[in-house]
């Protein structure tokens, strides 16, 4: 019997474009997929012979893990303990906890079914809400992806009438929301006892978070 050999034909540019789209989509749903990382994306494509051939022809898309090791790991929160209320499937919440613990925070995570109950309990305004709520043992609230640097600064000298800080929504590039070299400028907001808010810090670059 004559051996059957057929060369595979792959269009590198089309394949690479598809891979980039797959990587970007996988990263942006990190909050609902807790364990998505670069290894998972690669392993999902390995079984295909066509994919393996194309990988040998094109460099792999580079993707930074959601929780990139910080060069500014410190102990600025070493004397602080807090409870983090989060959804069980929120990957970026876990990454933020890793960021805070890397700076010394002693965190206890609680997966809850209805986060709004806790946001209401700790007086987080609707427009200031994010994916997780952190409450320190002395009652201060840190909503969302607040950098450890500003948590420590706030706790060292809490402003009069303030109950905590918030980073509304989930800005790309904030702690726990890192993706490649993407960064979205954002504000750290001060939450006050009377329900008002004020800008606590303007974050206009990744370096400003360190």
């Amino acid at each position: 019997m004559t051996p059957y050999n057929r060369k595979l034909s792959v269009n590198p540019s089309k394949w690479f474009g598809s891979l980039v789209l797959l990587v970007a989509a996988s990263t942006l749903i990190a909050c609902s997929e807790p364990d998505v990382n670069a290894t998972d994306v690669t392993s999902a494509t390995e079984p295909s012979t066509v994919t393996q051939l194309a990988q040998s022809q094109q460099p792999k898309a580079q993707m930074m893990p959601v929780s990139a090791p910080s060069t500014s790991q410190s102990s600025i929160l070493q004397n602080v303990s807090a409870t983090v209320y989060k959804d069980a499937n929120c990957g970026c919440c876990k990454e933020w906890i890793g960021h805070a613990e890397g700076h010394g925070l002693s965190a206890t995570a609680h997966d809850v079914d209805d986060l709004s109950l806790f946001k209401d309990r700790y007086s987080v305004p609707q427009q200031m809400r994010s994916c997780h709520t952190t409450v320190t043992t002395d009652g201060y609230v840190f909503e969302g992806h607040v950098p450890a640097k500003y948590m420590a600064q706030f706790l060292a000298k809490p402003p009069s009438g303030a109950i905590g800080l918030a980073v509304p929504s989930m800005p790309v590039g904030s702690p726990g929301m890192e993706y490649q070299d993407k960064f979205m400028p954002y504000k750290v907001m001060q939450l006050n006892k009377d329900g008002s808010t004020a800008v606590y810090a303007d974050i206009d670059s990744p370096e400003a978070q360190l």
Side-chain angles (χ1 to χ4, degrees), residues 82-105:
T83 300
V84 183
Y85 300 99
K86 57 180 281 295
D87 183 272
N89 296 316
C90 184
C92 64
C93 298
K94 293 179 181 179
E95 301 299 340
W96 180 85
I97 292 172
H99 161 78
E101 289 180 331
H103 289 277
L105 180 70

Side-chain angles (χ1 to χ4, degrees), residues 147 149-150 153 183 186 188 201-210:
K149 167 184 176 179
Y150 292 101
Q153 180 176 302
F183 178 80
Y186 64 94
V188 177
D202 280 298
I203 312 300
D204 55 8
S205 70
E207 293 74 24
Q209 304 175 121
L210 305 178

Side-chain angles (χ1 to χ4, degrees), residues 22-36 66 89-92:
L22 175 61
V23 170
S26 298
T27 301
L28 292 177
I29 62 173
C31 263
S32 61
E33 296 291 342
D35 296 316
V36 170
V66 177
N89 296 316
C90 184
C92 64

